[in-house]
Amino acid sequence: MAEKSELQYTAEHEWVLVDGNVATIGITDFAAGKLGDIVFVDLPKVGSSVAEGKIVGEIESTKSVGEIFAPVSGTVVEANDAVSNSPEIVNSDPFGEGWLVKIEFSELPSMLSLDEYTALTAE
């Protein structure tokens, strides 16, 4: 996985790795820590259309249920079956094996840099 400084971030605590016109999306270690032990992940189906800012899935932990928002509009081209089968991967490796979905997009919206995201979570 890329270095944290190479990723883009959303205010909803998601990271985005852009490779061409495909965005790999996961939740940050900050979000994973706030959720606590993750016990269930519901991801969108491959081939489904998603809209920027809309809910595309859920992450359930022993503390609460969090929503997954699409940071880009497009089509889901891959969902990480490993986290569906072993949700704890999101806690143990949120920036690596714990990625959630890959979305093919045509337009990339403006997102936060690592410094901007770090400032956001420090508030």
Side-chain angles (χ1 to χ4, degrees), residues 67-112:
E67 296 167 328
I68 303 167
F69 296 90
V72 297
S73 296
T75 302
V76 175
V77 293
E78 191 172 347
N80 190 352
D81 291 335
V83 298
S84 295
N85 297 328
S86 300
E88 65 277 4
I89 295 172
V90 177
N91 288 114
S92 63
D93 192 11
F95 291 98
E97 296 301 314
W99 65 274
L100 301 175
V101 294
K102 295 184 180 187
I103 300 173
E104 186 175 50
F105 62 90
S106 59
E107 185 175 331
L108 188 65
S110 177
M111 288 183 254
L112 304 173

Side-chain angles (χ1 to χ4, degrees), residues 3-85:
E3 294 294 320
K4 289 182 180 180
S5 62
E6 297 174 2
L7 304 173
Q8 299 181 56
Y9 299 86
T10 70
E12 288 75 33
H13 308 292
E14 293 158 337
W15 58 262
V16 179
L17 173 65
V18 176
D19 183 14
N21 65 341
V22 175
T24 302
I25 294 138
I27 65 168
T28 65
D29 50 354
F30 176 84
K34 288 289 186 187
L35 283 168
D37 294 334
I38 296 171
V39 295
F40 178 76
V41 178
D42 180 35
L43 299 175
K45 298 203 179 314
V46 172
S48 61
S49 294
V50 297
E52 178 188 343
K54 300 295 182 187
I55 297 168
V56 297
E58 289 184 344
I59 295 181
E60 184 176 333
S61 72
T62 54
K63 290 182 181 177
S64 66
V65 176
E67 296 167 328
I68 303 167
F69 296 90
V72 297
S73 296
T75 302
V76 175
V77 293
E78 191 172 347
N80 190 352
D81 291 335
V83 298
S84 295
N85 297 328

